[in-house]
Amino acid sequence: MSVVARTAGLTKRYGRSRALDNLTFELIEGSVYGLIGPNGAGKTTALKMLLNMVAPTAGRAEVLGTDSQHLLPQQFARIGYVSEGQEMPDWMTVESLLGYLEPFYPTWDGQRARELIVQFQLPRGRRLRQLSRGMRMKAALVASLAYRPALLLLDEPFSGLD
């Protein structure tokens, strides 16, 4: 099994406050891991540094064999990410969102997307703004699972899930 993500001494400071201090780990392909800790422990910050959404103060993060600060579109197309505050175009329907996303992911599996829609009992033709918070999270999960990512990062995806 290969390493899909790793950190070494990953640290993030905001002024004098340390959001994350010296985090080191490896994620092995085909495994499931959880970051557990109280609010403010740095879980979201760690995930955002893996995705180059936040730059580390010190240390290093690597995803799919590439330093996270140098990820290319081809690598991002192999990473799934769902966050608690996932923003989506609320004027789109579930089906139009998935249709919009499909061309961005070479590994998109339309059959899998349709199966997940049925499994999650999502109304294909309903606008995202008309869905409950939990149903919106299900739509975000379908959007991230449909292309079978090599690495799936979930940041409190079950918060408010129906």
Side-chain angles (χ1 to χ4, degrees):
M1 290 278 167
S2 64
V3 174
V4 291
R6 68 169 45 112
T7 66
L10 203 57
T11 301
K12 181 62 181 177
R13 286 187 209 96
Y14 293 100
R16 293 180 184 244
S17 175
R18 282 189 185 201
L20 194 64
D21 188 26
N22 198 32
L23 178 66
T24 299
F25 66 76
E26 286 189 344
L27 304 180
I28 307 301
E29 177 185 18
S31 299
V32 176
Y33 299 88
L35 292 175
I36 299 171
N39 289 339
K43 301 177 298 289
T44 295
T45 300
L47 294 178
K48 287 184 175 184
M49 284 192 283
L50 281 173
L51 296 171
N52 195 29
M53 296 167 72
V54 173
T57 304
R60 184 169 191 273
E62 183 182 293
V63 177
L64 302 176
T66 301
D67 184 300
S68 66
Q69 293 185 324
H70 302 288
L71 290 169
L72 298 172
Q74 299 91 311
Q75 280 116 359
F76 279 115
R78 298 180 57 218
I79 301 168
Y81 176 64
V82 179
S83 69
E84 179 182 17
Q86 188 82 30
E87 289 191 33
M88 296 184 292
D90 64 357
W91 54 271
M92 283 186 156
T93 64
V94 171
E95 195 162 36
S96 63
L97 172 69
L98 299 177
Y100 170 78
L101 293 173
E102 183 175 358
F104 292 100
Y105 300 97
T107 59
W108 188 272
D109 183 340
Q111 179 61 34
R112 179 163 172 81
R114 288 186 291 279
E115 289 168 359
L116 289 168
I117 286 172
V118 170
Q119 182 178 348
F120 292 164
Q121 299 177 340
L122 283 170
R124 294 174 193 263
R126 191 172 299 164
R127 295 191 190 280
L128 296 170
R129 78 169 138 253
Q130 297 170 322
L131 299 178
S132 68
R133 176 177 156 83
M135 293 293 267
R136 290 173 60 88
M137 290 306 295
K138 287 179 181 181
L141 280 169
V142 170
S144 288
L145 293 171
Y147 55 94
R148 300 182 183 275
L151 175 64
L152 178 62
L153 300 172
L154 305 173
D155 188 4
E156 298 195 35
F158 304 114
S159 178
L161 198 60
D162 292 343

